[in-house]
């Protein structure tokens, strides 16, 4: 079955530590996205990538970094510069840009907490 | 910034009743999408409606779009307990440099058996 796999499901970060969230898709989608969701809120875009080896900052990129070395993988690193990282992180992918009327497919998220 | 805002924030109905959720947005859009999120899970795409469309159906779902009022509604007919979830609208702006999806804060729907 095609889909998006996020791991781990739960992650704990110590002060001053960088942590990396994994996102893998086997849908052969060009575009991938990372969102942050806080309790009772909608999703906010952190980073997105329309194609391999290229990515752009979203609305809340500070304290985060990404890479897109392979089409199927788009890992997100939450750095120690992100002072309030506790949230639910969602990865998504789409065949093409949302501008050309493409829906997004989501993984089941990673819940990050501070120790 | 939030582009779409859903109304109401929470809705509780009995099984079998219809549920209507509304979404208002601020700037001209290319398309508007509705998603569902079950507790602790990822989002599932429901319907995409383009700016030149007024209504779309998918099973028990009906979405309308009124670009003159900058609003959309999602109607779920004959609701079931399994429809209990949060529902989000998301918009893609017609213009701008970064034309990505912007989500509202959602409507929490509870369908009572």
């Amino acid at each position: 079955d095609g889909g998006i796999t996020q791991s781990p499901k739960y992650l704990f970060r110590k002060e001053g530590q960088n942590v990396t969230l994994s996102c893998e898709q086997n849908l052969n989608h060009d575009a991938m996205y990372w969102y942050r969701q806080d309790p009772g809120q909608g999703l906010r875009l952190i980073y997105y990538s329309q194609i391999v080896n290229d990515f752009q900052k979203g609305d809340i990129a500070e304290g985060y970094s990404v890479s897109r070395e392979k089409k199927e993988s788009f890992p997100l690193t939450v750095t120690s510069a992100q002072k309030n990282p506790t949230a639910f992180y969602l990865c998504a992918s789409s065949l093409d840009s949302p501008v050309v009327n493409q829906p997004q497919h989501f993984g089941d998220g990673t819940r990050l907490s501070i120790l | 910034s939030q582009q779409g805002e859903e109304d109401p924030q929470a809705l509780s109905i009995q099984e079998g009743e219809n549920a209507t959720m509304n979404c208002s947005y601020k700037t001209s859009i290319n398309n508007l999408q509705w998603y569902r999120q079950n507790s602790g899970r990822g989002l599932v795409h429901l319907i995409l409606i383009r700016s030149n469309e007024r209504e779309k159906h998918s099973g028990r779902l009906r979405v309308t779009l009124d670009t003159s009022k900058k609003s959309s509604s999602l109607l779920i007919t004959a609701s079931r307990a399994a429809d209990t979830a949060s529902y989000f609208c998301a918009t893609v702006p017609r213009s701008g440099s970064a034309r990505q999806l912007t989500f509202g804060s959602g409507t929490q729907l509870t369908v009572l058996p």
Side-chain angles (χ1 to χ4, degrees):
Chain A
D1 277 334
I4 299 181
T5 301
Q6 289 188 241
S7 63
K9 192 169 178 64
Y10 299 95
L11 187 57
F12 298 92
R13 195 192 88 170
K14 295 180 182 178
E15 291 286 340
Q17 186 181 43
N18 293 353
V19 292
T20 298
L21 286 60
S22 170
C23 177
E24 303 277 333
Q25 55 99 358
N26 60 4
L27 298 166
N28 201 32
H29 285 173
D30 282 318
M32 296 188 75
Y33 313 84
W34 274 106
Y35 294 94
R36 169 180 172 141
Q37 186 177 32
D38 291 284
Q41 301 295 315
L43 280 62
R44 291 184 291 169
L45 184 63
I46 304 173
Y47 269 98
Y48 62 97
S49 168
Q50 298 293 158
I51 199 166
V52 176
N53 292 321
D54 185 56
F55 50 83
Q56 305 295 329
K57 292 181 179 180
D59 298 323
I60 55 165
E62 186 173 349
Y64 301 97
S65 65
V66 293
S67 62
R68 186 87 188 276
E69 297 174 2
K70 297 187 295 182
K71 186 175 185 177
E72 58 270 22
S73 179
F74 191 40
L76 173 74
T77 296
V78 184
T79 74
S80 57
Q82 173 49 246
K83 298 307 179 188
N84 183 23
T86 297
F88 190 48
Y89 290 87
L90 287 160
C91 179
S93 71
S94 62
L95 194 60
D96 203 331
S97 162
V99 173
V100 292
N101 302 308
Q102 291 294 324
Q104 294 184 7
H105 300 254
F106 284 79
D108 268 343
T110 292
R111 193 166 298 279
L112 176 62
S113 303
I114 295 294
L115 280 177
Chain B
S1 60
Q2 300 253 260
Q3 162 73 315
E5 289 295 334
E6 290 88 343
D7 171 60
Q9 289 188 347
L11 179 61
S12 185
I13 60 173
Q14 295 293 134
E15 207 164 25
E17 293 180 339
N18 295 344
T20 299
M21 288 158 270
N22 302 297
C23 171
S24 59
Y25 56 90
K26 297 173 185 173
T27 61
S28 295
I29 59 170
N30 177 278
N31 66 72
L32 184 146
Q33 304 180 29
W34 284 92
Y35 289 81
R36 184 188 76 226
Q37 183 181 33
N38 289 87
S39 182
R41 303 294 299 274
L43 277 69
V44 174
H45 179 260
L46 298 175
I47 290 183
L48 183 153
I49 187 164
R50 303 177 188 197
S51 61
N52 62 352
E53 297 175 315
R54 292 296 166 258
E55 189 170 312
K56 286 190 85 168
H57 297 255
S58 177
R60 294 183 296 112
L61 306 181
R62 173 179 168 246
V63 167
T64 61
L65 178 65
D66 187 337
T67 52
S68 66
K69 295 182 179 178
K70 292 187 170 59
S71 67
S72 173
S73 67
L74 169 67
L75 169 67
I76 304 174
T77 60
S79 63
R80 306 166 181 168
D83 294 328
T84 294
S86 292
Y87 291 82
F88 295 91
C89 71
T91 55
V92 179
R94 181 179 294 281
S95 62
S97 57
R99 297 167 66 189
Q100 298 297 322
L101 272 180
T102 301
F103 287 83
S105 54
T107 292
Q108 172 62 54
L109 173 66
T110 302
V111 181
L112 303 168

